[in-house]
mmCIF file of all heavy atoms in Angstrom:
data_model
loop_
_atom_site.group_PDB
_atom_site.id
_atom_site.type_symbol
_atom_site.label_atom_id
_atom_site.label_comp_id
_atom_site.label_asym_id
_atom_site.label_seq_id
_atom_site.Cartn_x
_atom_site.Cartn_y
_atom_site.Cartn_z
ATOM 1 N N TRP A 61 -9.173 0.910 22.734
ATOM 2 C CA TRP A 61 -8.295 1.247 23.856
ATOM 3 C C TRP A 61 -7.781 0.029 24.621
ATOM 4 O O TRP A 61 -8.513 -0.934 24.856
ATOM 5 C CB TRP A 61 -9.084 2.134 24.835
ATOM 6 C CG TRP A 61 -8.380 2.316 26.131
ATOM 7 C CD1 TRP A 61 -8.552 1.574 27.268
ATOM 8 C CD2 TRP A 61 -7.376 3.279 26.428
ATOM 9 N NE1 TRP A 61 -7.702 2.038 28.258
ATOM 10 C CE2 TRP A 61 -6.969 3.081 27.765
ATOM 11 C CE3 TRP A 61 -6.769 4.310 25.687
ATOM 12 C CZ2 TRP A 61 -6.001 3.862 28.383
ATOM 13 C CZ3 TRP A 61 -5.810 5.089 26.304
ATOM 14 C CH2 TRP A 61 -5.439 4.857 27.641
ATOM 15 N N ASN A 63 -5.154 -0.693 28.290
ATOM 16 C CA ASN A 63 -4.112 -0.335 29.243
ATOM 17 C C ASN A 63 -3.542 -1.588 29.900
ATOM 18 O O ASN A 63 -3.144 -2.505 29.169
ATOM 19 C CB ASN A 63 -4.484 0.816 30.189
ATOM 20 C CG ASN A 63 -5.728 0.668 31.019
ATOM 21 O OD1 ASN A 63 -6.822 0.670 30.492
ATOM 22 N ND2 ASN A 63 -5.593 0.562 32.330
ATOM 23 N N ASP A 64 -3.468 -1.669 31.206
ATOM 24 C CA ASP A 64 -2.670 -2.702 31.888
ATOM 25 C C ASP A 64 -2.799 -4.142 31.371
ATOM 26 O O ASP A 64 -3.910 -4.596 31.083
ATOM 27 C CB ASP A 64 -3.097 -2.814 33.360
ATOM 28 C CG ASP A 64 -3.253 -1.496 34.044
ATOM 29 O OD1 ASP A 64 -2.935 -0.463 33.453
ATOM 30 O OD2 ASP A 64 -3.692 -1.501 35.211
ATOM 31 N N PRO A 65 -1.680 -4.889 31.398
ATOM 32 C CA PRO A 65 -1.774 -6.341 31.227
ATOM 33 C C PRO A 65 -2.412 -6.943 32.475
ATOM 34 O O PRO A 65 -2.184 -6.468 33.585
ATOM 35 C CB PRO A 65 -0.306 -6.782 31.118
ATOM 36 C CG PRO A 65 0.478 -5.733 31.820
ATOM 37 C CD PRO A 65 -0.292 -4.451 31.652
ATOM 38 N N ASN A 66 -3.235 -7.947 32.314
ATOM 39 C CA ASN A 66 -3.956 -8.569 33.442
ATOM 40 C C ASN A 66 -3.902 -10.087 33.317
ATOM 41 O O ASN A 66 -3.828 -10.622 32.209
ATOM 42 C CB ASN A 66 -5.452 -8.197 33.394
ATOM 43 C CG ASN A 66 -5.757 -6.735 33.666
ATOM 44 O OD1 ASN A 66 -6.744 -6.205 33.187
ATOM 45 N ND2 ASN A 66 -4.923 -6.073 34.427
ATOM 46 N N GLN A 80 -6.654 -4.601 30.138
ATOM 47 C CA GLN A 80 -7.685 -3.591 30.364
ATOM 48 C C GLN A 80 -8.084 -3.050 28.993
ATOM 49 O O GLN A 80 -7.235 -2.566 28.233
ATOM 50 C CB GLN A 80 -7.124 -2.462 31.248
ATOM 51 C CG GLN A 80 -6.927 -2.873 32.686
ATOM 52 C CD GLN A 80 -8.246 -2.975 33.435
ATOM 53 O OE1 GLN A 80 -8.791 -1.984 33.893
ATOM 54 N NE2 GLN A 80 -8.778 -4.179 33.565
ATOM 55 N N HIS A 81 -9.374 -3.134 28.702
ATOM 56 C CA HIS A 81 -9.808 -2.873 27.332
ATOM 57 C C HIS A 81 -11.153 -2.155 27.350
ATOM 58 O O HIS A 81 -12.060 -2.548 28.079
ATOM 59 C CB HIS A 81 -9.963 -4.247 26.651
ATOM 60 C CG HIS A 81 -10.212 -4.201 25.182
ATOM 61 N ND1 HIS A 81 -9.664 -3.261 24.342
ATOM 62 C CD2 HIS A 81 -10.949 -5.021 24.388
ATOM 63 C CE1 HIS A 81 -10.047 -3.499 23.097
ATOM 64 N NE2 HIS A 81 -10.839 -4.558 23.103
ATOM 65 N N TRP A 88 -9.780 5.748 27.498
ATOM 66 C CA TRP A 88 -10.183 4.911 28.634
ATOM 67 C C TRP A 88 -11.697 4.991 28.840
ATOM 68 O O TRP A 88 -12.289 6.059 28.708
ATOM 69 C CB TRP A 88 -9.439 5.387 29.891
ATOM 70 C CG TRP A 88 -9.600 4.454 31.037
ATOM 71 C CD1 TRP A 88 -8.821 3.387 31.317
ATOM 72 C CD2 TRP A 88 -10.608 4.512 32.052
ATOM 73 N NE1 TRP A 88 -9.284 2.752 32.449
ATOM 74 C CE2 TRP A 88 -10.382 3.421 32.920
ATOM 75 C CE3 TRP A 88 -11.692 5.353 32.312
ATOM 76 C CZ2 TRP A 88 -11.183 3.163 34.031
ATOM 77 C CZ3 TRP A 88 -12.497 5.099 33.414
ATOM 78 C CH2 TRP A 88 -12.227 4.009 34.265
ATOM 79 N N GLY A 89 -12.332 3.889 29.144
ATOM 80 C CA GLY A 89 -13.792 3.867 29.351
ATOM 81 C C GLY A 89 -14.165 2.643 30.161
ATOM 82 O O GLY A 89 -13.317 2.090 30.856
ATOM 83 N N MET A 91 -14.301 -0.656 31.606
ATOM 84 C CA MET A 91 -13.242 -1.658 31.425
ATOM 85 C C MET A 91 -13.751 -3.082 31.321
ATOM 86 O O MET A 91 -14.591 -3.518 32.103
ATOM 87 C CB MET A 91 -12.254 -1.567 32.592
ATOM 88 C CG MET A 91 -11.320 -0.383 32.493
ATOM 89 S SD MET A 91 -10.141 -0.588 31.142
ATOM 90 C CE MET A 91 -10.617 0.759 30.093
ATOM 91 N N HIS A 92 -13.174 -3.790 30.345
ATOM 92 C CA HIS A 92 -13.375 -5.215 30.116
ATOM 93 C C HIS A 92 -12.009 -5.874 30.251
ATOM 94 O O HIS A 92 -10.996 -5.192 30.226
ATOM 95 C CB HIS A 92 -13.841 -5.470 28.678
ATOM 96 C CG HIS A 92 -15.111 -4.790 28.257
ATOM 97 N ND1 HIS A 92 -15.345 -3.438 28.394
ATOM 98 C CD2 HIS A 92 -16.211 -5.300 27.647
ATOM 99 C CE1 HIS A 92 -16.540 -3.156 27.904
ATOM 100 N NE2 HIS A 92 -17.084 -4.264 27.451
ATOM 101 N N TYR A 118 -17.208 -1.870 36.509
ATOM 102 C CA TYR A 118 -16.200 -2.122 35.476
ATOM 103 C C TYR A 118 -15.249 -3.198 36.000
ATOM 104 O O TYR A 118 -15.095 -3.362 37.215
ATOM 105 C CB TYR A 118 -15.365 -0.870 35.210
ATOM 106 C CG TYR A 118 -16.104 0.322 34.642
ATOM 107 C CD1 TYR A 118 -15.431 1.543 34.493
ATOM 108 C CD2 TYR A 118 -17.429 0.246 34.247
ATOM 109 C CE1 TYR A 118 -16.071 2.645 33.974
ATOM 110 C CE2 TYR A 118 -18.073 1.358 33.727
ATOM 111 C CZ TYR A 118 -17.396 2.558 33.586
ATOM 112 O OH TYR A 118 -18.020 3.652 33.078
ATOM 113 N N ILE A 119 -14.575 -3.876 35.071
ATOM 114 C CA ILE A 119 -13.641 -4.936 35.460
ATOM 115 C C ILE A 119 -12.219 -4.361 35.402
ATOM 116 O O ILE A 119 -11.626 -4.245 34.328
ATOM 117 C CB ILE A 119 -13.757 -6.161 34.516
ATOM 118 C CG1 ILE A 119 -15.236 -6.576 34.328
ATOM 119 C CG2 ILE A 119 -12.916 -7.317 35.046
ATOM 120 C CD1 ILE A 119 -15.949 -7.030 35.593
ATOM 121 N N PHE A 120 -11.721 -3.990 36.562
ATOM 122 C CA PHE A 120 -10.382 -3.404 36.633
ATOM 123 C C PHE A 120 -9.312 -4.494 36.689
ATOM 124 O O PHE A 120 -9.605 -5.683 36.638
ATOM 125 C CB PHE A 120 -10.287 -2.483 37.862
ATOM 126 C CG PHE A 120 -10.689 -1.055 37.585
ATOM 127 C CD1 PHE A 120 -11.506 -0.719 36.515
ATOM 128 C CD2 PHE A 120 -10.239 -0.020 38.409
ATOM 129 C CE1 PHE A 120 -11.868 0.603 36.263
ATOM 130 C CE2 PHE A 120 -10.589 1.307 38.177
ATOM 131 C CZ PHE A 120 -11.400 1.615 37.105
ATOM 132 N N SER A 121 -8.064 -4.060 36.874
ATOM 133 C CA SER A 121 -6.927 -4.984 36.775
ATOM 134 C C SER A 121 -6.952 -6.088 37.823
ATOM 135 O O SER A 121 -7.513 -5.922 38.908
ATOM 136 C CB SER A 121 -5.619 -4.213 36.898
ATOM 137 O OG SER A 121 -5.438 -3.510 35.699
ATOM 138 N N GLY A 122 -6.284 -7.193 37.502
ATOM 139 C CA GLY A 122 -6.202 -8.327 38.404
ATOM 140 C C GLY A 122 -5.339 -9.420 37.816
ATOM 141 O O GLY A 122 -4.539 -9.159 36.907
ATOM 142 N N THR A 147 -10.719 -6.325 40.200
ATOM 143 C CA THR A 147 -11.394 -5.303 41.001
ATOM 144 C C THR A 147 -12.663 -4.864 40.287
ATOM 145 O O THR A 147 -12.631 -4.566 39.095
ATOM 146 C CB THR A 147 -10.464 -4.078 41.193
ATOM 147 O OG1 THR A 147 -9.291 -4.515 41.874
ATOM 148 C CG2 THR A 147 -11.143 -2.966 41.980
ATOM 149 N N HIS A 149 -15.058 -1.925 39.819
ATOM 150 C CA HIS A 149 -15.064 -0.477 40.040
ATOM 151 C C HIS A 149 -16.489 -0.007 39.775
ATOM 152 O O HIS A 149 -16.953 -0.005 38.629
ATOM 153 C CB HIS A 149 -14.072 0.203 39.084
ATOM 154 C CG HIS A 149 -14.030 1.680 39.221
ATOM 155 N ND1 HIS A 149 -13.121 2.324 40.035
ATOM 156 C CD2 HIS A 149 -14.787 2.652 38.666
ATOM 157 C CE1 HIS A 149 -13.315 3.628 39.968
ATOM 158 N NE2 HIS A 149 -14.321 3.851 39.147
ATOM 159 N N GLN A 162 -14.563 0.351 45.251
ATOM 160 C CA GLN A 162 -13.752 -0.708 44.640
ATOM 161 C C GLN A 162 -13.715 -1.926 45.564
ATOM 162 O O GLN A 162 -13.456 -1.801 46.760
ATOM 163 C CB GLN A 162 -12.332 -0.210 44.357
ATOM 164 C CG GLN A 162 -12.334 0.861 43.270
ATOM 165 C CD GLN A 162 -10.963 1.364 42.871
ATOM 166 O OE1 GLN A 162 -10.008 1.254 43.628
ATOM 167 N NE2 GLN A 162 -10.877 1.932 41.680
ATOM 168 N N ASP A 192 -8.627 4.008 47.096
ATOM 169 C CA ASP A 192 -7.973 3.267 46.015
ATOM 170 C C ASP A 192 -7.633 1.886 46.556
ATOM 171 O O ASP A 192 -6.721 1.746 47.378
ATOM 172 C CB ASP A 192 -6.712 3.999 45.555
ATOM 173 C CG ASP A 192 -7.061 5.341 44.943
ATOM 174 O OD1 ASP A 192 -7.708 5.353 43.891
ATOM 175 O OD2 ASP A 192 -6.725 6.383 45.548
ATOM 176 N N ARG A 194 -7.308 -1.783 45.000
ATOM 177 C CA ARG A 194 -7.493 -2.532 43.748
ATOM 178 C C ARG A 194 -6.262 -3.321 43.290
ATOM 179 O O ARG A 194 -5.204 -3.252 43.874
ATOM 180 C CB ARG A 194 -7.879 -1.560 42.628
ATOM 181 C CG ARG A 194 -6.894 -0.418 42.403
ATOM 182 C CD ARG A 194 -7.390 0.422 41.232
ATOM 183 N NE ARG A 194 -6.521 1.544 40.962
ATOM 184 C CZ ARG A 194 -6.718 2.776 41.430
ATOM 185 N NH1 ARG A 194 -7.744 3.050 42.210
ATOM 186 N NH2 ARG A 194 -5.872 3.748 41.107
ATOM 187 N N ASP A 195 -6.476 -4.020 42.187
ATOM 188 C CA ASP A 195 -5.461 -4.732 41.402
ATOM 189 C C ASP A 195 -4.893 -5.964 42.120
ATOM 190 O O ASP A 195 -3.672 -6.093 42.310
ATOM 191 C CB ASP A 195 -4.324 -3.781 40.992
ATOM 192 C CG ASP A 195 -4.833 -2.518 40.318
ATOM 193 O OD1 ASP A 195 -5.952 -2.560 39.774
ATOM 194 O OD2 ASP A 195 -4.131 -1.489 40.340
ATOM 195 N N PRO A 196 -5.759 -6.934 42.508
ATOM 196 C CA PRO A 196 -5.290 -8.124 43.230
ATOM 197 C C PRO A 196 -4.383 -9.001 42.370
ATOM 198 O O PRO A 196 -4.723 -9.308 41.232
ATOM 199 C CB PRO A 196 -6.590 -8.874 43.553
ATOM 200 C CG PRO A 196 -7.563 -8.423 42.503
ATOM 201 C CD PRO A 196 -7.211 -6.998 42.216
ATOM 202 N N ALA A 212 -3.233 -3.262 46.054
ATOM 203 C CA ALA A 212 -2.825 -1.877 46.290
ATOM 204 C C ALA A 212 -3.932 -1.154 47.037
ATOM 205 O O ALA A 212 -5.105 -1.234 46.657
ATOM 206 C CB ALA A 212 -2.548 -1.187 44.960
ATOM 207 N N VAL A 244 -0.545 7.380 43.681
ATOM 208 C CA VAL A 244 -1.250 6.196 44.192
ATOM 209 C C VAL A 244 -0.473 4.932 43.814
ATOM 210 O O VAL A 244 0.078 4.840 42.726
ATOM 211 C CB VAL A 244 -2.662 6.151 43.570
ATOM 212 C CG1 VAL A 244 -3.372 4.848 43.899
ATOM 213 C CG2 VAL A 244 -3.470 7.326 44.038
ATOM 214 N N TRP A 245 -0.444 3.960 44.722
ATOM 215 C CA TRP A 245 0.191 2.672 44.409
ATOM 216 C C TRP A 245 -0.825 1.785 43.679
ATOM 217 O O TRP A 245 -2.001 1.743 44.064
ATOM 218 C CB TRP A 245 0.688 1.988 45.686
ATOM 219 C CG TRP A 245 1.927 2.638 46.256
ATOM 220 C CD1 TRP A 245 2.385 3.905 45.987
ATOM 221 C CD2 TRP A 245 2.864 2.064 47.169
ATOM 222 N NE1 TRP A 245 3.552 4.149 46.677
ATOM 223 C CE2 TRP A 245 3.869 3.027 47.419
ATOM 224 C CE3 TRP A 245 2.957 0.831 47.807
ATOM 225 C CZ2 TRP A 245 4.948 2.798 48.264
ATOM 226 C CZ3 TRP A 245 4.030 0.599 48.663
ATOM 227 C CH2 TRP A 245 5.018 1.568 48.878
ATOM 228 N N GLU A 246 -0.339 1.091 42.650
ATOM 229 C CA GLU A 246 -1.237 0.278 41.826
ATOM 230 C C GLU A 246 -0.522 -1.011 41.409
ATOM 231 O O GLU A 246 0.703 -1.113 41.490
ATOM 232 C CB GLU A 246 -1.635 1.037 40.549
ATOM 233 C CG GLU A 246 -2.376 2.347 40.801
ATOM 234 C CD GLU A 246 -2.837 3.053 39.534
ATOM 235 O OE1 GLU A 246 -2.059 3.151 38.572
ATOM 236 O OE2 GLU A 246 -3.976 3.531 39.514
ATOM 237 N N CYS A 247 -1.304 -1.958 40.924
ATOM 238 C CA CYS A 247 -0.801 -3.169 40.255
ATOM 239 C C CYS A 247 0.442 -3.794 40.885
ATOM 240 O O CYS A 247 1.498 -3.887 40.246
ATOM 241 C CB CYS A 247 -0.516 -2.849 38.786
ATOM 242 S SG CYS A 247 -1.967 -2.319 37.908
ATOM 243 N N PRO A 248 0.353 -4.266 42.139
ATOM 244 C CA PRO A 248 1.522 -4.916 42.741
ATOM 245 C C PRO A 248 1.714 -6.339 42.231
ATOM 246 O O PRO A 248 0.804 -6.923 41.630
ATOM 247 C CB PRO A 248 1.154 -4.940 44.229
ATOM 248 C CG PRO A 248 -0.342 -4.990 44.250
ATOM 249 C CD PRO A 248 -0.825 -4.249 43.030
ATOM 250 N N SER A 268 3.577 -0.517 41.088
ATOM 251 C CA SER A 268 3.443 0.594 40.142
ATOM 252 C C SER A 268 2.926 1.816 40.882
ATOM 253 O O SER A 268 2.210 1.684 41.889
ATOM 254 C CB SER A 268 2.505 0.204 39.004
ATOM 255 O OG SER A 268 3.185 -0.651 38.110
ATOM 256 N N ASN A 270 1.520 5.998 40.274
ATOM 257 C CA ASN A 270 1.109 7.017 39.308
ATOM 258 C C ASN A 270 0.435 8.195 40.013
ATOM 259 O O ASN A 270 -0.564 7.985 40.694
ATOM 260 C CB ASN A 270 0.130 6.415 38.310
ATOM 261 C CG ASN A 270 -0.385 7.451 37.338
ATOM 262 O OD1 ASN A 270 0.397 8.062 36.630
ATOM 263 N ND2 ASN A 270 -1.678 7.687 37.335
ATOM 264 N N SER A 278 3.760 7.801 35.247
ATOM 265 C CA SER A 278 3.628 6.433 35.746
ATOM 266 C C SER A 278 4.941 5.660 35.642
ATOM 267 O O SER A 278 5.662 5.801 34.650
ATOM 268 C CB SER A 278 2.595 5.677 34.911
ATOM 269 O OG SER A 278 1.612 6.536 34.381
ATOM 270 N N TYR A 319 4.481 0.480 32.286
ATOM 271 C CA TYR A 319 3.671 0.648 33.489
ATOM 272 C C TYR A 319 2.796 -0.565 33.751
ATOM 273 O O TYR A 319 2.429 -1.298 32.831
ATOM 274 C CB TYR A 319 2.772 1.898 33.354
ATOM 275 C CG TYR A 319 2.142 2.265 34.677
ATOM 276 C CD1 TYR A 319 2.943 2.565 35.764
ATOM 277 C CD2 TYR A 319 0.765 2.286 34.850
ATOM 278 C CE1 TYR A 319 2.397 2.876 36.998
ATOM 279 C CE2 TYR A 319 0.198 2.609 36.088
ATOM 280 C CZ TYR A 319 1.028 2.892 37.150
ATOM 281 O OH TYR A 319 0.489 3.204 38.375
ATOM 282 N N ALA A 320 2.467 -0.751 35.045
ATOM 283 C CA ALA A 320 1.467 -1.747 35.473
ATOM 284 C C ALA A 320 1.863 -3.173 35.099
ATOM 285 O O ALA A 320 1.016 -4.049 35.028
ATOM 286 C CB ALA A 320 0.085 -1.411 34.895
ATOM 287 N N TRP A 339 2.642 -2.439 30.248
ATOM 288 C CA TRP A 339 1.875 -1.578 29.328
ATOM 289 C C TRP A 339 2.818 -0.461 28.868
ATOM 290 O O TRP A 339 3.406 0.242 29.689
ATOM 291 C CB TRP A 339 0.678 -1.008 30.078
ATOM 292 C CG TRP A 339 -0.123 0.014 29.333
ATOM 293 C CD1 TRP A 339 -0.555 -0.030 28.049
ATOM 294 C CD2 TRP A 339 -0.619 1.262 29.868
ATOM 295 N NE1 TRP A 339 -1.297 1.093 27.742
ATOM 296 C CE2 TRP A 339 -1.344 1.889 28.845
ATOM 297 C CE3 TRP A 339 -0.523 1.892 31.111
ATOM 298 C CZ2 TRP A 339 -1.969 3.135 29.020
ATOM 299 C CZ3 TRP A 339 -1.139 3.127 31.287
ATOM 300 C CH2 TRP A 339 -1.852 3.726 30.263
ATOM 301 N N TRP A 343 0.210 7.343 31.935
ATOM 302 C CA TRP A 343 -1.077 8.041 32.113
ATOM 303 C C TRP A 343 -0.982 9.535 31.818
ATOM 304 O O TRP A 343 -2.005 10.192 31.662
ATOM 305 C CB TRP A 343 -1.622 7.804 33.525
ATOM 306 C CG TRP A 343 -2.246 6.446 33.671
ATOM 307 C CD1 TRP A 343 -1.828 5.432 34.474
ATOM 308 C CD2 TRP A 343 -3.397 5.948 32.964
ATOM 309 N NE1 TRP A 343 -2.643 4.333 34.320
ATOM 310 C CE2 TRP A 343 -3.608 4.623 33.408
ATOM 311 C CE3 TRP A 343 -4.254 6.480 32.005
ATOM 312 C CZ2 TRP A 343 -4.651 3.834 32.917
ATOM 313 C CZ3 TRP A 343 -5.291 5.690 31.522
ATOM 314 C CH2 TRP A 343 -5.482 4.383 31.975
HETATM 315 C C1 LIG B 604 -3.343 1.162 36.362
HETATM 316 C C2 LIG B 604 -4.818 1.242 36.674
HETATM 317 C C3 LIG B 604 -5.193 0.215 37.708
HETATM 318 C C4 LIG B 604 -6.652 -0.005 37.443
HETATM 319 C C5 LIG B 604 -6.721 0.104 35.941
HETATM 320 C C6 LIG B 604 -8.004 0.688 35.425
HETATM 321 O O1 LIG B 604 -2.999 1.661 35.128
HETATM 322 O O2 LIG B 604 -5.151 2.542 37.103
HETATM 323 O O3 LIG B 604 -4.915 0.605 39.031
HETATM 324 O O4 LIG B 604 -7.119 -1.241 37.887
HETATM 325 O O5 LIG B 604 -5.629 0.927 35.555
HETATM 326 O O6 LIG B 604 -8.084 0.580 34.047
#
Side-chain angles (χ1 to χ4, degrees):
W61 169 266
N63 56 292
D64 314 354
N66 292 152
Q80 288 286 278
H81 188 35
W88 190 88
M91 284 290 116
H92 302 52
Y118 296 174
I119 311 297
F120 271 22
S121 287
T147 299
H149 179 94
Q162 293 183 338
D192 295 294
R194 56 178 179 264
D195 308 336
V244 172
W245 286 19
E246 299 183 315
C247 299
S268 284
N270 177 59
S278 331
Y319 192 59
W339 173 46
W343 282 116

